[in-house]
Amino acid sequence: MNKFSRIKTDTIRSVDEITGSRRLRRMRKAPWSRRLVQENHLRVDDLIWPIFLVEGEDRKEPVEAMPGVFRYSVDLAVREAERAAKLGIPAIATFPNIGLGKRDATGSAILDPDNLINQASRSIKAAVPEIGIITDVALDPFTNHGHDGILRDGIIVNDETVAQVAEAAVLQAAAGADIIAPSEMMDGRIGAIRDALDANGFQDVAIMSYATKFASAFYGPYREAIGTGGLLKGDKKTYYVDPANTDEAVREAEQDLLEGADMLMVKPGLPYLDIIHRLKDEFSIPTFAYQVSGEYSMIKAAAANGWLDGEKAMLETLLAFKRAGCDGILTYFAPEVAQLLRD
Ligand code: PBG
């Protein structure tokens, strides 16, 4: 009993009695012992770098809401791909910002063999054959309404969209994409894309399904990056998964695997670690997270304000993905973290 209070302490057992002499701090006492028992590691091999493309030449435009992120014209994107390959980053994922005049109600420009995505794949494949190229077949960069599918009478029509994205996937494969990553969440898209790729001689092109893409607020800055922010009317709730649902996410993933997906992705990342963990547990399939634009911007904004250590927060979030069961992470931090891991 101390002199300030009448709280009884004399019956508290000794710590050794309480823990049975187990001391979990023992292994934490020094950097060398912490290194010995570290269970998960972040490696450059875990990184996929999403990059934004813009038309023209010698253009590098900052994305305002994503400090340190730019849109590159194809010539500069090739140089960025070279830089990424030198850093040891295994793959990049490209997202185009095309001229507004080329966007229409059906996103028809996705079927142009020479559209911005396909031009970039061709140039990058020719100059940097050692880096993997991942392309998305969603229609949102190509529609004048910012939706991922064909919009008719206020409805995103499923089957017509699927037919179009399957065709687009073949064009992307022909241009050099190694992995098709469909993000538009239409029913039946994985099977249709697999059929189309196989029928056109692209059996070796893999599919990374955005199996569980949630209807999330964290995509905001991306929409600035590809110029759909001002276009999008309404929301994407009729095709993306409700953030409240877990079982539905499992059903989505299971369906995509049945249809032929080689890899799964969960998006966004950090708010959905439970989904990553559950999918990896349930399916034992290569599983990826997309640490999306809003997640990147939050860390950058807080760091810019001096509210947290941006570098430490970045590394901690990426390690958290590994701990949850990810085989890799799509992250705008990729070059920054690859450089750090090298040094
Ligand atoms: C849409 C798409 C989105 C992202 C990539 N492709 C989401 C959306 O705009 O609805 C988001 C990526 C990010 O936020 O970093 N097919």
Side-chain angles (χ1 to χ4, degrees), residues 136-314:
D136 187 359
V137 286
L139 301 183
D140 57 308
F142 302 95
T143 56
N144 55 16
H145 45 68
H147 279 291
D148 294 19
I150 296 169
L151 182 65
R152 261 192 226 306
D153 304 324
I155 287 171
I156 304 298
V157 291
N158 191 88
D159 301 13
E160 226 178 300
T161 300
V162 167
Q164 184 159 320
V165 304
E167 246 186 275
V170 174
L171 294 171
Q172 292 181 0
D178 301 287
I179 299 176
I180 304 296
S183 80
E184 45 18 93
M185 293 295 287
M186 296 297 116
D187 287 328
R189 73 208 193 285
I190 301 294
I193 290 170
R194 187 70 269 160
D195 287 354
L197 290 172
D198 291 350
N200 289 278
F202 297 109
Q203 285 87 353
D204 289 345
V205 171
I207 301 177
M208 175 189 280
S209 165
Y210 285 64
T212 40
K213 181 166 182 184
F214 290 90
S216 170
F218 288 97
Y219 307 140
Y222 164 91
R223 293 182 185 165
E224 178 210 327
I226 66 156
T228 56
L231 301 177
L232 186 65
K233 278 178 205 72
D235 55 48
K236 302 192 176 184
K237 289 181 184 168
T238 69
Y239 44 108
Y240 292 176
V241 178
D242 185 335
N245 296 352
T246 306
D247 290 342
E248 186 183 348
V250 175
R251 288 199 299 279
E252 268 288 354
E254 183 176 40
Q255 180 63 31
D256 288 358
L257 289 172
L258 286 171
E259 292 179 24
D262 302 285
M263 292 168 264
L264 296 176
M265 188 210 294
V266 174
K267 174 184 183 179
L270 213 58
Y272 298 90
L273 291 183
D274 57 322
I275 308 289
I276 293 164
H277 190 254
R278 189 157 166 206
L279 294 191
K280 186 67 181 177
D281 246 24
E282 209 125 340
F283 301 114
S284 304
I285 195 93
T287 303
F288 294 79
Y290 197 145
Q291 182 175 47
V292 300
S293 56
E295 299 178 70
Y296 174 90
S297 300
M298 284 198 300
I299 292 174
K300 286 290 183 191
N305 275 296
W307 293 337
L308 51 72
D309 181 327
E311 197 173 291
K312 285 198 178 122
M314 163 183 83

